[in-house]
Amino acid sequence: MKGRVTGEVTGTVTGTVPAAQTGGVTATAKAKGTGTVARHPFAVVAAVVVALLLVVPTLVVVPISFTGKASFVFPPDSWSLRWYGNLFSDSRWTSALRRSLWIALLSSVLATTVGTAASVGLTRWRRRRWAAAARALLLVPVFVPAIVLAIGIYTVFGSLGLLGTVTGFVLAHASLGVPFVVISVTAVLQSFDVQLERAAESLGAGRWAVFRQITLPLILPGVLAGALFAFVASFDEILVSLFIKSPFLETFPIRVYQSVDNDTDPTVAAASTLVLVVTTLVILVAVRISTLRTRRLGT
Amino acid sequence: MATTQDVGADRRAGPPAPAAPRARRSRFDALLLIPALLLILGVVGYPFVVSVIDSFVKVEGRQHAYAWITANPVYLRIIGRTFLTSVVAVVLCVLLAYPYAYVMVLAGRRIRLVLTVAVLVPFWVSGLVRTFAWVILLQSGGPVDRLLPFLGRDGLLHTQTAVLVGLVQVLLPFMILPLYNSMQSIDRRLLQAAESLGARQTVAFFRVVVPLSAPGAGAGALLVFVTSLGIYVLAQILGSPATSMIGSVVYTQTSQLNNTGRAAALSLSMLAGAVVLIGAAYLLFRLVPGARRAG
């Protein structure tokens, strides 16, 4: 039961949903005519309302980012592009943005490297109990409230002089990104045919050659999706970042937060719109990659 | 996994592979875990142990941290409020997620894709951005205030309701995704069977779908609950000092007063409470006969 619960969580945190949805269509149900949506009007209405609740409120930041006045009045009565001008000329915003992209890139690379190696190890390790324990340990960052982790990280980084350093941010963000990589890479590894590796080995390929030429190309969609998720996880991270920041090193979300908290400057709406657009694009790419995977392996 | 490997070994032509390289390979595979484990143990595990020790050992303001908590009922009240808010958020998420996930499962391919994207994009779009959107919507004189002026005299921003609305909207995808995953694996013929035996749709839903999707709902509830307990930024932006949750106290104690012992003690008390509550929920769930059979 407990195992099932964690399975449900880990299966869905990354791109497993779109993967599943392209594969199995409701063939049996359709043929028998049972359980179609039309028979559940209440559920349909509720689902539409929930879908609107999920998507629509956030879109309000877009018109505000084009407002002509220095206020959050909605709907705006005049329009301008000056908040975007602000966003890309004010050095507080630009340097925070550049730094966040850099930290997200580095921590995504680190999380993807160690996470992929660990996933290969996890699926191959013969002692299944130990492997299960190791997997649980690697997923801990998802299951413990971030605030609990943040205090410890603050204390330890403080004593190591890592507060307000890029190294500190990369280490913290990478460890928060590892679970996403492990989940998405172990998912592809499960449908991976070990015989292919054996064949390559029997033809004389060394370990590294087998990994480079056989394993990696086949699990690449999972690795890339994991890397994107780790990137977004870092680029978005705010709580731990608030604890380990310094006045000299702030990330983009910290800038957004301080701006929302302190002033009514629509530049933050422009920044939010930017984040909205970029994240949506990245996620659509990640979803596309993971559906490509099922199409190639599944059918 | 093991069986396919064995079959493969038997089928292989020539002399059977000696046992030694295999064992070595397995050990090598385990070595691949070391960098990731070092990272997690170093950045998450070791600091956690340090905060546990700090919470018991550190003396701040001539007081041990746990003594300080018990001497100040205000903090116990804040812990209580944090739990209550999180539980309400979980309940609301369950109520909203069930119809959504159910329609996702039943819908045709195209509608399902739309519904999937509608839940995946918010799942990954910054919670901070979505929180900020609620500031615009709920502010005094904002759209919600104008449409539903009776809800609050000065807009809903900085109220408990605002915190809950934001929490539910931000965390809902965490509930929908696991729920959908587990509903999707339910054998549709069970529903047909129930209906052919005379159960009405609603009955079939509550007696078949709900128990069989309980593991997914449990997983989602766990994620929503745990995330909600540790929330800081959202409560800070949408709430007020009167609605403050544990995160605010922990942040103030840590980065403004440098009382890491107290901060650790507060967050660990909350974690301990969460573990007890989750354990109780789990036991309760096992005691419900229908649910146990399903799980």
Side-chain angles (χ1 to χ4, degrees):
Chain A
M1 178 62 222
K2 202 178 171 202
R4 255 191 96 179
V5 169
T6 39
E8 302 285 355
V9 173
T10 55
T12 45
V13 173
T14 53
T16 337
V17 169
Q21 136 258 306
T22 46
V25 189
T26 59
T28 28
K30 264 188 189 156
K32 302 271 164 66
T34 315
T36 46
V37 200
R39 298 181 61 215
H40 300 271
F42 170 74
V44 171
V45 172
V48 170
V49 171
V50 172
L52 293 176
L53 178 72
L54 281 170
V55 175
V56 174
T58 312
L59 298 178
V60 76
V61 302
V62 179
I64 292 292
S65 73
F66 293 106
T67 183
K69 286 199 190 121
S71 80
F72 293 154
V73 171
F74 181 87
D77 43 20
S78 58
W79 306 92
S80 81
L81 282 172
R82 65 177 153 137
W83 310 114
Y84 286 91
N86 239 2
L87 179 65
F88 292 112
S89 59
D90 184 339
S91 69
R92 283 182 311 169
W93 284 102
T94 51
S95 67
L97 181 59
R98 225 175 302 130
R99 202 168 283 134
S100 264
L101 287 172
W102 179 231
I103 289 170
L105 182 70
L106 289 179
S107 56
S108 167
V109 168
L110 178 58
T112 310
T113 314
V114 301
T116 306
S119 308
V120 174
L122 281 176
T123 32
R124 304 284 158 78
W125 200 1
R126 286 298 189 72
R127 304 191 173 178
R128 300 313 298 162
R129 288 235 169 130
W130 286 89
R135 183 182 158 89
L137 194 61
L138 292 178
L139 299 184
V140 156
V142 180
F143 290 102
V144 177
I147 194 106
V148 176
L149 304 179
I151 304 161
I153 295 176
Y154 172 79
T155 313
V156 170
F157 279 19
S159 62
L160 295 175
L162 286 173
L163 291 180
T165 64
V166 171
T167 317
F169 273 97
V170 170
L171 286 174
H173 288 184
S175 51
L176 299 178
V178 163
F180 298 116
V181 177
V182 168
I183 290 163
S184 100
V185 177
T186 47
V188 265
L189 275 171
Q190 262 153 19
S191 57
F192 175 78
D193 187 356
V194 194
Q195 301 294 345
L196 295 172
E197 287 187 341
R198 283 169 196 279
E201 266 175 45
S202 74
L203 292 171
R207 284 200 75 91
W208 177 245
V210 171
F211 180 75
R212 266 291 289 115
Q213 295 173 25
I214 309 291
T215 319
L216 188 58
L218 283 170
I219 63 170
L220 197 60
V223 176
L224 284 180
L228 287 177
F229 290 131
F231 184 91
V232 175
S234 160
F235 187 74
D236 250 13
E237 212 294 320
I238 172 97
L239 192 80
V240 174
S241 305
L242 274 176
F243 280 79
I244 63 174
K245 70 164 204 275
S246 76
F248 313 103
L249 200 152
E250 290 178 347
T251 59
F252 195 64
I254 294 178
R255 190 79 261 290
V256 171
Y257 169 55
Q258 285 173 345
S259 179
V260 172
D261 216 29
N262 297 329
D263 37 57
T264 45
D265 173 5
T267 309
V268 71
S272 299
T273 307
L274 185 74
V275 170
L276 195 66
V277 171
V278 172
T279 331
T280 308
L281 289 179
V282 170
I283 293 313
L284 287 180
V285 169
V287 165
R288 186 95 186 95
I289 288 173
S290 50
T291 41
L292 280 182
R293 168 188 86 212
T294 34
R295 214 164 287 157
R296 202 169 51 194
L297 296 181
T299 49
Chain B
M1 196 69 195
T3 46
T4 45
Q5 278 178 356
D6 294 341
V7 170
D10 290 341
R11 218 185 273 155
R12 196 160 39 180
R22 262 212 174 172
R24 213 182 306 134
R25 172 177 310 153
S26 182
R27 224 171 297 139
F28 177 85
D29 289 333
L31 291 182
L32 289 171
L33 285 158
I34 289 178
L37 286 176
L38 277 182
L39 183 68
I40 296 292
L41 287 175
V43 181
V44 172
Y46 171 66
F48 182 77
V49 174
V50 168
S51 22
V52 173
I53 296 173
D54 274 0
S55 77
F56 284 108
V57 172
K58 272 203 167 177
V59 177
E60 285 149 350
R62 293 203 205 141
Q63 233 176 350
H64 281 283
Y66 290 101
W68 168 76
I69 295 179
T70 39
N72 289 282
V74 62
Y75 297 113
L76 292 177
R77 230 178 300 135
I78 290 178
I79 292 183
R81 186 191 296 136
T82 308
F83 272 94
L84 190 65
T85 312
S86 306
V87 170
V88 174
V90 168
V91 171
L92 290 174
C93 282
V94 170
L95 292 178
L96 293 173
Y98 253 101
Y100 192 87
Y102 196 46
V103 171
M104 251 174 111
V105 171
L106 296 181
R109 205 174 186 161
R110 215 169 278 168
I111 297 177
R112 189 176 329 168
L113 188 64
V114 171
L115 291 178
T116 306
V117 171
V119 70
L120 267 192
V121 169
F123 183 77
W124 285 103
V125 165
S126 160
L128 189 57
V129 168
R130 291 195 283 151
T131 306
F132 167 54
W134 283 110
V135 172
I136 298 169
L137 292 171
L138 298 178
Q139 66 186 327
S140 168
V144 174
D145 195 15
R146 261 175 293 146
L147 285 174
L148 311 160
F150 49 87
L151 282 179
R153 209 176 304 157
D154 228 2
L156 282 174
L157 195 57
H158 306 306
T159 64
Q160 187 72 53
T161 318
V163 174
L164 260 180
V165 168
L167 261 183
V168 169
Q169 199 243 357
V170 169
L171 297 182
L172 196 52
F174 289 86
M175 188 78 222
I176 293 177
L177 290 174
L179 190 57
Y180 167 70
N181 240 20
S182 85
M183 256 191 212
Q184 199 204 20
S185 60
I186 296 175
D187 190 340
R188 215 69 65 75
R189 284 169 301 182
L190 290 174
L191 269 180
Q192 290 166 11
E195 290 187 18
S196 72
L197 291 172
R200 276 182 305 154
Q201 276 179 48
T202 345
V203 177
F205 176 78
F206 282 104
R207 298 291 294 270
V208 178
V209 177
V210 170
L212 285 176
S213 59
L222 184 66
L223 274 180
V224 171
F225 186 63
V226 164
T227 317
S228 161
L229 285 179
I231 222 104
Y232 165 67
V233 169
L234 184 143
Q236 204 67 14
I237 295 176
L238 297 179
S240 71
T243 68
S244 69
M245 290 171 57
I246 199 87
S248 315
V249 186
V250 168
Y251 186 72
T252 318
Q253 289 293 337
T254 312
S255 58
Q256 283 167 32
L257 305 170
N258 208 21
N259 289 333
T260 47
R262 289 180 175 179
L266 274 170
S267 69
L268 290 170
S269 315
M270 179 193 75
L271 190 64
V275 170
V276 169
L277 203 69
I278 291 166
Y282 176 62
L283 285 180
L284 202 71
F285 177 76
R286 300 238 349 200
L287 291 178
V288 179
R292 185 172 39 189
R293 236 177 290 129

